[in-house]
Amino acid sequence: MNFLSNRLGFGADYNPEQWSPEVWRDDIRLMREAGVTIVTLGIFSWATVEQEPGRYDFGWLDEVMDLLAAAGIDVSLATGTASPPSWLSRLHPETLPVNHDGVRLSPGSRQHYCPSSPVYREAAVGLAVQMAKRYGTHPALKLWHVGNEYGCHIQECYCDVSADDFRAWLRDRYGDLDGLNAAWSTTFWSQRVTDWADVLPPRTAPTLRNPAQDLDFRRFSSDALLACYRAERAVLQELTPGVPITTNIMGMWEPVADYASWAADFDIVALDIYPEPKDPTAHIDAAFFHDQMRSLGGGRPYMMMETATSAISYRPPNRPKRTGLNRLWSHQAVARGADAVMYFQWRASAGGAEKFHSAVVSHGGADNRIFREAAALGAELSSLSDVAGGRVPADVAIVHDYANWWALELDARPGELKIPERVRAHYAPLWHANVTVDVVPPEADLSAYKLVVVPNLYLCTDAAADGLRRYVEGGGHLLMSFFSGIADECDRIRLGGYPGAFRELLGLRVEEFWPLSDGERAGLSSGGGADLWADHIVPEGAEVLAAYTGGPLPGLPAVTRHAFGAGTATYLGTRPDEHSMRDLVADTLRLAGVAPVVAGLPAGVEAVRRGRHLFLLNHNDHAVHAAGTDLAPRDVAVLRLDRDPASGAAAAPSLQSGAVPPVGEGA
Ligand code: GAL
Ligand code: ZN
């Protein structure tokens, strides 16, 4: 898979079915002007291509494909199956999804299909087959784009077809009803099932549902969506071997699907990401998602398949991106491993639900700053072709797991923990320290990392527990937060003292959890304070780094460290305030011998090394001098590390632009 390997891709979703052939010609002219190298074509074109079942109209698409080929623009061709046409819902209303209250959703939006529906899958695969037969050898075709953002709106369906599919999935996982009853702890509340027909999706019930059932339904639903993707992938592989295949997944704080279990089916990982221009820390979350995408692909380059040139259209007030912000955030993707920068969408729609979403070509055309900034970026990316393919080294890994995410946020836990906040609290100090991080599942091979950070891994498999133990034993350094290692993969408590999976590794036991109320705080003997949670820790070999000076457990240990084998395991029994957390992370980085990409940078400047390049990204709204380089507000410098890849200071020459008159200052 190397269609992008000798240049950085630049482009957008292209939806020509919304426009006339004259506009297509204008599009191609403007694409060339903007330096577009690749478009994702026809994502929502099912109803245009197949207007009646089995009757296809490819004429317009033939013409667009030919125009793009003639212009030397690559096509990531959508199979077009993300939004079924009206006839499918009319002829087969059973393909419409049902929510947990039993309400069948109507067509009229998009993604209105039950992922388990054999009728939907057959129709989707049918279209994919036609697309493959028609365009499999077209010179413009470089990549298949299957569906679109699986699970973006419909993550689960609770209909009877899905219920049957869920049963089949459970039979496969547990063998028989005894296995299922044990896994779901059904002796509690008289939930024992004696007939498969009694096994249901977690539909709305009188009160708290069975958590293991909830958890398995999330797993099943992720697999059902994956099965839709795989069904199309299988026919594409057969009909067009050699053409890479992907689908776009989402960089956002929602556990839509277990992407770690999807990754092996992507020939290249493709990320959609819409950081919020109003959020002053949006770039830190974005950095995390970029790191996650790179890591999903095992370090290989990925594509930023969608982002916005300026305003989005669904988080009002939808503020435009200030001058330079599109460039800055696009470079951030490239710095962290993306080999393509693409937008939703090429031309802003005249009608429909998303007409106020920014595009490369606006409602007023191309004579405006959005287009000029995009075109300048296109030219800049083309001058950076030697960045393509470069690897991003990381000494630190952060553990991130979807089953844990689902489980931790179920009802009736000792305190309200949210994975987005918990992961951010661990990732942000690493970002501020300019340390690059890989995002890995708990069962990953950790041997290459100097430090492994584990935010609140409540649910953990035996394999993960063994792996983390072996990692530290072998000389690794671990930083782990409270409420980890508590439950097994069926959400059953690991008995014999908390935290069952890590007691020996951490050299302690936790007697009770003391979650704090909103606004309640506990001081720390190391200075600063903590909130949210306090473990009652009883050391069993661990040394105490800090004790509580207030709150429910004064004088008891709050932060500990345990020398284990050749490594160390540092444990946080609480949530330290931001400053204390940065100190703790800095201390652990020192212990693990992890150096920043560039030391001593001004706050808000992100440094990332990629191959033989050093990216300096100024996220501040003021100018800075960083690593020997002057950076304007929201400016970027890409330094070629010709002499000494380890030191930014020896770098030359630098590439910067940012010579566009600023818009949105003081906003
Ligand atoms: C994505 C989606 C696009 C478009 C975009 C902007 O989630 O894939 O089709 O809707 O968001 O809202
Ligand atoms: Zn269903």
Side-chain angles (χ1 to χ4, degrees):
M1 214 308 300
N2 61 0
F3 73 100
L4 287 168
S5 70
N6 49 11
R7 67 175 176 188
L8 295 173
F10 184 65
D13 276 17
Y14 185 35
N15 301 306
E17 66 274 23
Q18 296 174 18
W19 303 98
S20 67
E22 299 79 73
V23 178
W24 303 342
R25 281 157 181 89
D26 200 41
D27 285 333
I28 301 284
R29 177 182 66 77
L30 290 170
M31 282 180 192
R32 299 184 72 144
E33 201 178 313
V36 165
T37 67
I38 180 166
V39 295
T40 286
L41 183 61
I43 289 182
F44 297 103
S45 64
W46 193 345
T48 310
V49 167
E50 192 179 4
Q51 299 194 1
E52 290 302 328
R55 192 166 61 70
Y56 300 96
D57 174 11
F58 284 120
W60 66 277
L61 193 51
D62 292 350
E63 194 177 335
V64 172
M65 287 290 282
D66 291 348
L67 284 171
L68 289 164
I73 295 169
D74 291 344
V75 172
S76 150
L77 186 58
T79 55
T81 53
S83 198
S86 65
W87 55 258
L88 190 72
S89 320
R90 171 170 31 90
L91 298 175
H92 298 284
E94 75 278 16
T95 59
L96 292 167
V98 171
N99 73 13
H100 52 81
D101 289 324
V103 176
R104 198 174 280 283
L105 304 183
S106 290
S109 176
R110 65 174 172 183
Q111 217 173 75
H112 43 282
Y113 62 85
C114 160
S116 292
S117 165
V119 179
Y120 163 74
R121 285 194 199 168
E122 197 190 317
V125 167
L127 181 59
V129 166
Q130 295 302 319
M131 296 293 281
K133 287 188 173 157
R134 186 101 188 167
Y135 301 110
T137 57
H138 196 285
L141 174 70
K142 292 293 172 344
L143 175 69
W144 286 115
H145 177 112
V146 175
N148 189 62
E149 289 193 346
Y150 281 100
C152 163
H153 310 297
I154 299 298
Q155 290 160 26
E156 297 152 334
C157 175
Y158 295 76
C159 79
D160 290 340
V161 172
S162 294
D164 260 341
D165 201 21
F166 184 38
R167 286 178 203 114
W169 185 92
L170 290 165
R171 273 182 207 264
D172 200 44
R173 187 173 174 90
Y174 299 117
D176 56 19
L177 284 172
D178 285 345
L180 177 81
N181 280 304
W184 285 13
S185 305
T186 55
T187 46
F188 189 76
W189 280 359
S190 187
Q191 290 172 349
R192 187 170 179 80
V193 279
T194 51
D195 189 317
W196 279 102
D198 301 340
V199 179
L200 295 170
R203 294 172 178 156
T204 303
T207 182
L208 300 176
R209 290 181 307 227
N210 183 315
Q213 176 196 18
D214 265 343
L215 183 57
D216 273 345
F217 193 64
R218 298 301 299 260
R219 291 187 172 112
F220 154 76
S221 300
S222 173
D223 285 357
L225 289 170
L226 177 58
C228 292
Y229 168 73
R230 281 184 175 160
E232 292 190 40
R233 178 173 162 86
V235 295
L236 296 172
Q237 278 175 324
E238 194 187 312
L239 294 169
T240 59
V243 180
I245 305 164
T246 194
T247 185
N248 44 346
I249 59 175
M250 289 161 281
M252 62 180 195
W253 290 117
E254 241 195 89
V256 168
D258 180 0
Y259 289 151
S261 73
W262 290 41
D265 287 287
F266 300 145
D267 294 322
I268 185 166
V269 173
L271 164 70
D272 292 359
I273 186 166
Y274 292 91
E276 173 54 61
K278 299 190 294 291
D279 173 1
T281 60
H283 54 280
I284 303 179
D285 285 2
F288 172 82
F289 293 121
H290 291 303
D291 290 346
Q292 183 193 14
M293 295 304 134
R294 182 188 67 246
S295 305
L296 280 174
R300 282 175 293 135
Y302 63 97
M303 303 170 79
M304 180 162 72
M305 184 68 93
E306 281 186 30
T307 195
T309 54
S310 190
I312 51 149
S313 72
Y314 48 83
R315 294 184 206 126
N318 295 313
R319 294 289 299 252
K321 286 182 176 169
R322 293 200 264 169
T323 299
L325 196 55
N326 174 24
R327 171 174 178 256
L328 175 67
W329 287 357
S330 296
H331 273 288
Q332 184 189 39
V334 174
R336 292 188 177 270
D339 267 5
V341 169
M342 300 174 72
Y343 300 101
F344 174 85
Q345 56 180 334
W346 166 253
R347 184 180 281 274
S349 302
E354 295 200 297
K355 54 185 166 298
F356 290 114
H357 191 100
S358 60
V360 182
V361 180
S362 308
H363 293 144
D367 183 14
N368 51 52
R369 78 151 183 124
I370 291 187
F371 186 84
R372 281 190 286 277
E373 284 190 39
L377 180 62
E380 193 180 6
L381 293 179
S382 98
S383 76
L384 288 173
S385 55
D386 55 340
V387 170
R391 296 295 179 120
V392 179
D395 288 337
V396 178
I398 190 164
V399 167
H400 184 55
D401 182 51
Y402 286 86
N404 177 56
W405 192 344
W406 293 324
L408 191 76
E409 296 188 1
L410 289 172
D411 294 324
R413 315 279 125 171
E416 275 232 340
L417 303 181
K418 297 286 182 204
I419 279 294
E421 183 279 324
R422 295 286 63 222
V423 170
R424 271 194 201 116
H426 293 78
Y427 182 83
L430 295 161
W431 186 90
H432 286 290
N434 265 303
V435 166
T436 311
V437 175
D438 282 346
V439 179
V440 302
E443 289 84 8
D445 174 5
L446 302 170
S447 52
Y449 300 107
K450 293 180 178 169
L451 172 66
V452 172
V453 176
V454 182
N456 318 78
L457 189 64
Y458 160 77
L459 176 148
C460 120
T461 60
D462 289 349
D466 286 352
L468 285 162
R469 186 199 156 92
R470 268 184 283 112
Y471 166 71
V472 176
E473 223 164 27
H477 297 276
L478 178 76
L479 177 65
M480 178 178 273
S481 272
F482 58 90
F483 209 46
S484 287
I486 303 297
D488 71 6
E489 62 265 47
C490 298
D491 200 27
R492 291 175 301 209
I493 299 298
R494 294 175 173 275
L495 299 175
Y498 308 133
F502 301 121
R503 200 170 142 183
E504 213 193 319
L505 168 61
L506 297 170
L508 54 78
R509 100 189 122 82
V510 172
E511 279 203 6
E512 279 178 288
F513 312 121
W514 286 86
L516 305 189
S517 312
D518 266 359
E520 197 183 353
R521 287 174 56 80
L524 292 175
S525 60
S526 51
D531 65 359
L532 188 69
W533 188 282
D535 271 350
H536 176 173
I537 296 174
V538 179
E540 292 175 339
E543 73 174 290
V544 179
L545 297 187
Y548 300 108
T549 58
L553 304 168
L556 293 183
V559 182
T560 63
R561 181 167 288 155
H562 189 219
F564 185 78
T568 68
T570 305
Y571 182 70
L572 305 180
T574 185
R575 176 172 76 179
D577 60 43
E578 212 183 308
H579 191 78
S580 308
M581 188 67 181
R582 279 201 209 181
D583 286 350
L584 259 162
V585 166
D587 176 65
T588 320
L589 287 168
R590 262 192 309 274
L591 182 73
V594 178
V597 176
V598 179
L601 290 179
V605 177
E606 175 178 342
V608 188
R609 221 192 104 195
R610 181 167 183 201
R612 296 187 60 77
H613 293 81
L614 175 72
F615 286 74
L616 295 171
L617 306 149
N618 180 18
H619 294 281
N620 297 294
D621 290 328
H622 55 262
V624 295
H625 187 73
T629 310
D630 286 321
L631 291 165
R634 298 182 294 283
D635 199 1
V636 178
V638 185
L639 311 180
R640 292 198 169 87
L641 301 171
D642 289 334
R643 281 177 286 163
D644 174 11
S647 140
S654 114
L655 185 142
Q656 275 173 274
S657 72
V660 235
V663 166
E665 284 311 323

